[in-house]
Amino acid sequence: MIIISKDVRIIMQTFDVMKDSRITLKDLAQVLNLSPSTISRALADHPAISEATKEKVQKKAEELGFIPNSIASSFRKKKSHTLGVIVPRIDIHFHSLVISGIEEFAYKTGYNVTIFQSKDSITREKEITKLLQNKMVEGVIVCLATETYNYDHFKKFRKLGVPLVFYDRVPSNYDTNKIVINDFESAFKATEHLIKKGCTRIAHIAGNQSTPIFKARLQGYKSAIKKHHGNLDEKLIIPCKTLSYEEGALCAEKFLKFSPMPDGIFCANDYTAVSVIQVFRKAGIKIPEDTAVVGFSNYPISRVIEPHLTTINDRAFQMGIEAAKLLIRLIEEEKKSIKSETITLETELIIRESSMKP
Amino acid sequence: MIIISKDVRIIMQTFDVMKDSRITLKDLAQVLNLSPSTISRALADHPAISEATKEKVQKKAEELGFIPNSIASSFRKKKSHTLGVIVPRIDIHFHSLVISGIEEFAYKTGYNVTIFQSKDSITREKEITKLLQNKMVEGVIVCLATETYNYDHFKKFRKLGVPLVFYDRVPSNYDTNKIVINDFESAFKATEHLIKKGCTRIAHIAGNQSTPIFKARLQGYKSAIKKHHGNLDEKLIIPCKTLSYEEGALCAEKFLKFSPMPDGIFCANDYTAVSVIQVFRKAGIKIPEDTAVVGFSNYPISRVIEPHLTTINDRAFQMGIEAAKLLIRLIEEEKKSIKSETITLETELIIRESSMKP
DNA sequence: TTTTGCAATGCAAACGTTTGCGTAAAAATA
DNA sequence: TATTTTTACGCAAACGTTTGCATTGCAAAA
């Protein structure tokens, strides 16, 4: 559907005339009979410029619709005021929350955010790191691709003096800045909650054990069980690859065949937890009376599923805020710090009906 | 938790030495006894440069770890190779899908994506448009803030020759490029589906009527009812402000008091649809036997809720792809086109259990 | 009055890359 | 061999802003 009206023609004319006729500092200088340097300083509120000229310049700039060319400025000052962000996928709710936090803080501080998706591919991740170096970003925030176990492609940033902050899926054995939650403690809390609710056979749907966060969650679960129940039944632990909704259903089917069945299940994420609840309910198992369920991440779905899901708030938005805050601090610090920082965010157990045993 | 090891110290030394010692074209030129222009052309695979020198340059560039300064290049060429994206919020699943599509296409085409959240505030939206002009973005993709009814702050882009593409919440009465779905037809399809399933009293949870997309959905609903049932009972239409999960529950409560109750409900989004299903089921109403429900958007939750929700796939990812594709075409077109384009994506009715009346 | 000091502005270079034009040498043509 | 064409490269300007240093005018101190 294409519409060409008389109106559009008029607009086009304007368009063609104005095209690329951006007013520059020099133009302003000429008009005002001042030097470009004075204009520049006036606009930057430099103390050496008199208030009178400052006002004059401001007014004229406004009048002529002067738009400072920040690329020229970046070029000259060697500062792009841009942060690069590499996430596995933008459309995963957790990451979109983190990005939202990053943008929020960056915007307030005057930085721009350029995003890239690694699609969990190390090849693409490497490509992106190269791009980011060209682009002269001032700092980079990364959540590693699942495939990434070697971090060499990030070393160049250090050489270039570009600070890095990793979040969630962070490098192990590599000293750098990290924003994480305490997965161990969170899992411990979640498991302990089930124990306190009277569960005696608590199962765990575990994530990919080559990913540190899921490993830590399993450890937290184990630790809580050992502390309160003494011994641990390894059979109650079912490892998953992707922790998808579908995989969760498969785990649930397995649990249904156990005898006795688990009376509590701690799932490494919310998708599998939701899946378990649905499969169990279809099988006539009452949640939470027969089996209590706890998830991890506080996805929107957790407060929609019936019964509402007890889960761990993983502070995704806050993670983004902290990542941006730390990164910008590192960028603006006079002498770039040598120390690497790891910020651990406090999680919170959100207790809902799925674990409220009578 | 701060760890300083001997290793880190060594890295730091390297770091300090290397800092800001980026190799430039000039450096390369000097080393190779060639002029910067030759280096530039060699690296750009210019036909006027011999294969021999090209190879020599490539090799040396690799060897010295030359990183082209794309800010300088952007500055000189007046091309930032950057797209600006303004969305109300990144953490809304629909938008994160669109952004994902935008990034996907932009990445393949060599463009970067800088994102901004308007937070549905017109003030912030205006601020962002100013920023984007400074940044010399080559094109902008926008989903308008709910507050936005005046589009003057976007007119400057046209004057600057920067193409704009709007998606989802697009300006009305303003000739520009738009990517939309056919909300009218989709709503018509959804309502007709309920009619064909035998529903005779079909209600509608409508969105904010000052937003064109929700207005169109209401019209589509009305049109289908009128076509098949002849007359329309306006009481069966409940308008909502935000279409939130909570608002959906309020609507559901109202429907429960109707007599006779609606035997079909078409909701303007999935949140309210899910809410309706839950409230109805708690009240003992069988879905879909007593009342069939159809949502809109195909949110992840729609295939988790029991019964799974019949809904409209709004092609969010594809919308992002198309927006980026159109924008980049507009950017790269020789003579910027005068015509505004509106691309309407075909939606798809996804039929699941919530509408499968026997 | 001369000197010193300060406030306000200008000069000019620089940032790294690109590009139109010029030119030398080599190759092709007359 | 003389002339033209082609090939391969260099020169130098330009992009718009910033910034160290120089400069001007003028008031305060000597």
Side-chain angles (χ1 to χ4, degrees):
Chain A
M1 188 170 53
I2 291 163
I3 304 166
I4 309 184
S5 68
K6 201 176 165 189
D7 232 44
V8 179
R9 290 248 169 76
I10 292 166
I11 287 163
M12 188 204 48
Q13 272 194 342
T14 320
F15 168 93
D16 266 359
V17 171
M18 301 293 283
K19 163 108 213 260
D20 253 332
S21 69
R22 292 178 113 111
I23 307 279
T24 71
L25 269 191
K26 287 182 185 171
D27 298 336
L28 259 183
Q30 211 165 18
V31 172
L32 286 167
N33 247 330
L34 287 167
S35 78
S37 44
T38 302
I39 308 289
S40 174
R41 284 189 257 248
L43 258 23
D45 204 29
H46 193 282
I49 305 295
S50 72
E51 286 304 320
T53 35
K54 272 181 194 172
E55 266 184 46
K56 206 166 51 180
V57 171
Q58 298 276 9
K59 206 183 129 212
K60 206 70 180 176
E62 189 76 24
E63 187 188 324
L64 298 186
F66 168 69
I67 299 173
N69 180 335
S70 70
I71 292 210
S73 173
S74 290
F75 172 51
R76 168 65 222 240
K77 296 203 285 188
K78 293 166 164 292
K79 293 208 178 296
S80 63
H81 262 224
T82 298
L83 312 181
V85 176
I86 312 176
V87 297
R89 319 187 77 94
I90 296 165
D91 56 350
I92 290 177
H93 188 245
F94 171 74
H95 293 298
S96 74
L97 275 170
V98 175
I99 297 172
S100 179
I102 294 171
E103 196 276 343
E104 179 64 17
F105 191 88
Y107 183 77
K108 283 189 193 156
T109 335
Y111 284 83
N112 299 317
V113 178
T114 303
I115 38 165
F116 295 88
Q117 310 187 78
S118 68
K119 299 286 185 90
D120 272 323
S121 144
I122 173 111
T123 315
R124 185 145 166 184
E125 190 175 90
K126 282 184 184 170
E127 281 177 22
I128 295 168
T129 57
K130 283 215 170 159
L131 272 180
L132 286 175
Q133 286 159 32
N134 294 9
K135 279 283 158 181
M136 316 252 333
V137 291
E138 295 195 50
V140 181
I141 295 172
V142 189
C143 176
L144 291 170
T146 37
E147 292 183 11
T148 304
Y149 296 106
N150 178 300
Y151 318 115
D152 287 347
H153 49 302
F154 290 108
K155 289 187 179 164
K156 294 169 278 179
F157 287 110
R158 188 169 286 174
K159 289 191 187 166
L160 294 169
V162 175
L164 283 173
V165 172
F166 292 85
Y167 77 87
D168 189 52
R169 220 176 282 148
V170 302
S172 38
N173 312 324
Y174 182 56
D175 185 42
T176 183
N177 305 289
K178 305 170 187 177
I179 316 283
V180 293
I181 56 168
N182 194 326
D183 286 283
F184 178 90
E185 240 174 55
S186 307
F188 189 94
K189 251 193 295 195
T191 311
E192 201 169 44
H193 166 70
L194 286 171
I195 292 168
K196 285 189 179 152
K197 283 291 167 187
C199 300
T200 54
R201 266 178 74 72
I202 301 172
H204 177 46
I205 297 183
N208 189 330
Q209 288 303 298
S210 54
T211 306
I213 57 174
F214 295 125
K215 202 169 170 181
R217 289 178 197 177
L218 174 59
Q219 295 308 321
Y221 158 82
K222 282 186 178 175
S223 178
I225 298 285
K226 278 182 191 155
K227 177 178 170 195
H228 293 278
H229 289 166
N231 63 331
L232 179 82
D233 184 354
E234 292 274 355
K235 289 201 199 78
L236 288 171
I237 301 167
I238 302 188
C240 277
K241 269 179 239 144
T242 63
L243 291 173
S244 67
Y245 182 67
E246 288 73 16
E247 249 185 326
L250 295 177
C251 292
E253 300 288 354
K254 285 184 194 163
F255 287 140
L256 284 174
K257 289 181 191 144
F258 283 18
S259 111
M261 271 190 25
D263 58 356
I265 305 179
F266 165 51
C267 310
N269 76 351
D270 281 353
Y271 287 146
T272 52
V274 164
S275 204
V276 163
I277 289 178
Q278 290 182 331
V279 171
F280 269 43
R281 288 188 107 191
K282 266 189 196 147
I285 314 292
K286 285 185 184 148
I287 312 281
E289 294 80 356
D290 300 335
T291 303
V293 177
V294 176
F296 203 114
S297 277
N298 193 32
Y299 266 38
I301 204 173
S302 63
R303 58 182 202 105
V304 170
I305 182 78
E306 310 239 9
H308 295 351
L309 181 65
T310 294
T311 188
I312 295 283
N313 176 3
D314 62 8
R315 316 286 308 284
F317 181 81
Q318 192 61 28
M319 205 172 241
I321 297 276
E322 295 296 334
K325 191 186 286 181
L326 174 57
L327 187 64
I328 291 172
R329 210 191 70 212
L330 292 171
I331 290 170
E332 296 185 347
E333 247 172 15
E334 279 309 302
K335 48 166 203 58
K336 310 276 177 179
S337 85
I338 325 103
K339 308 174 301 236
S340 293
E341 231 168 280
T342 296
I343 296 177
T344 305
L345 296 179
E346 284 303 308
T347 60
E348 165 197 19
L349 180 69
I350 301 174
I351 299 170
R352 301 204 184 95
E353 291 98 61
S354 75
S355 67
M356 293 299 273
K357 280 207 180 197
Chain B
M1 187 170 51
I2 292 162
I3 303 166
I4 310 184
S5 68
K6 203 177 163 188
D7 234 44
V8 179
R9 291 246 169 76
I10 292 168
I11 288 162
M12 188 203 47
Q13 273 195 341
T14 320
F15 167 93
D16 267 359
V17 171
M18 302 293 281
K19 164 103 214 265
D20 254 330
S21 69
R22 293 178 112 114
I23 307 280
T24 72
L25 268 190
K26 287 182 185 171
D27 299 334
L28 259 182
Q30 208 164 20
V31 171
L32 287 167
N33 247 331
L34 288 166
S35 79
S37 44
T38 303
I39 307 288
S40 174
R41 284 190 256 250
L43 258 23
D45 204 30
H46 193 282
I49 305 295
S50 72
E51 286 304 319
T53 35
K54 272 182 192 169
E55 266 185 45
K56 208 166 51 179
V57 172
Q58 297 276 10
K59 208 183 127 212
K60 205 70 180 177
E62 188 75 25
E63 188 188 322
L64 298 186
F66 167 68
I67 300 173
N69 180 337
S70 68
I71 293 211
S73 173
S74 290
F75 172 51
R76 170 64 224 241
K77 296 202 285 190
K78 294 164 165 293
K79 293 206 177 296
S80 63
H81 261 224
T82 297
L83 312 181
V85 176
I86 311 177
V87 297
R89 320 188 77 95
I90 297 165
D91 57 351
I92 290 177
H93 188 245
F94 171 74
H95 294 297
S96 74
L97 274 171
V98 175
I99 297 173
S100 179
I102 294 172
E103 196 277 341
E104 180 64 18
F105 191 87
Y107 182 77
K108 283 190 193 154
T109 335
Y111 284 83
N112 299 317
V113 178
T114 302
I115 38 165
F116 296 87
Q117 309 187 78
S118 69
K119 298 287 185 90
D120 272 323
S121 145
I122 173 113
T123 315
R124 187 146 165 181
E125 190 175 270
K126 282 184 184 168
E127 281 177 21
I128 295 168
T129 56
K130 283 217 169 157
L131 271 179
L132 287 175
Q133 287 158 32
N134 293 9
K135 279 284 160 180
M136 316 250 334
V137 292
E138 295 195 50
V140 182
I141 295 172
V142 189
C143 175
L144 290 171
T146 38
E147 294 184 10
T148 305
Y149 297 105
N150 178 300
Y151 319 115
D152 287 347
H153 49 301
F154 290 108
K155 289 186 178 162
K156 294 169 280 180
F157 287 111
R158 188 169 285 174
K159 289 191 187 165
L160 293 169
V162 175
L164 284 173
V165 172
F166 292 84
Y167 76 87
D168 190 52
R169 221 177 282 148
V170 303
S172 39
N173 312 325
Y174 182 55
D175 185 42
T176 182
N177 305 290
K178 305 171 188 176
I179 316 283
V180 293
I181 56 170
N182 194 327
D183 286 282
F184 177 91
E185 240 173 56
S186 306
F188 188 94
K189 250 192 297 194
T191 310
E192 201 167 47
H193 166 70
L194 286 171
I195 293 168
K196 285 190 179 150
K197 283 292 167 185
C199 300
T200 53
R201 266 179 73 74
I202 300 172
H204 176 47
I205 297 183
N208 189 330
Q209 288 303 300
S210 53
T211 305
I213 57 174
F214 295 125
K215 200 168 172 181
R217 288 178 198 178
L218 173 58
Q219 295 309 322
Y221 157 83
K222 282 185 177 176
S223 178
I225 299 285
K226 279 181 190 155
K227 177 179 172 195
H228 293 277
H229 290 167
N231 63 332
L232 178 82
D233 184 354
E234 293 273 357
K235 290 201 197 80
L236 288 171
I237 301 167
I238 303 188
C240 277
K241 269 178 239 144
T242 63
L243 292 174
S244 66
Y245 182 66
E246 289 73 16
E247 249 185 325
L250 295 177
C251 293
E253 300 288 353
K254 284 185 195 164
F255 287 139
L256 285 175
K257 289 180 192 144
F258 283 18
S259 111
M261 271 191 24
D263 58 356
I265 305 178
F266 165 51
C267 310
N269 76 351
D270 281 352
Y271 287 146
T272 52
V274 164
S275 205
V276 163
I277 289 178
Q278 290 182 332
V279 171
F280 269 42
R281 288 188 107 190
K282 266 192 195 143
I285 314 292
K286 283 184 187 151
I287 314 280
E289 293 80 356
D290 300 335
T291 304
V293 177
V294 176
F296 204 114
S297 277
N298 192 30
Y299 266 37
I301 205 174
S302 63
R303 57 182 201 104
V304 169
I305 183 78
E306 310 240 9
H308 295 350
L309 180 65
T310 294
T311 187
I312 295 282
N313 177 4
D314 62 8
R315 317 283 310 283
F317 182 81
Q318 192 61 29
M319 205 172 241
I321 296 276
E322 296 296 335
K325 192 187 285 180
L326 173 57
L327 186 65
I328 291 171
R329 208 192 72 212
L330 293 171
I331 290 170
E332 296 184 348
E333 248 171 13
E334 279 309 303
K335 49 167 201 58
K336 311 275 175 177
S337 87
I338 325 102
K339 308 175 300 240
S340 294
E341 230 168 281
T342 296
I343 295 177
T344 305
L345 297 179
E346 283 304 308
T347 60
E348 164 198 21
L349 179 70
I350 301 174
I351 300 170
R352 301 204 184 97
E353 291 99 62
S354 74
S355 67
M356 293 300 272
K357 281 207 178 194

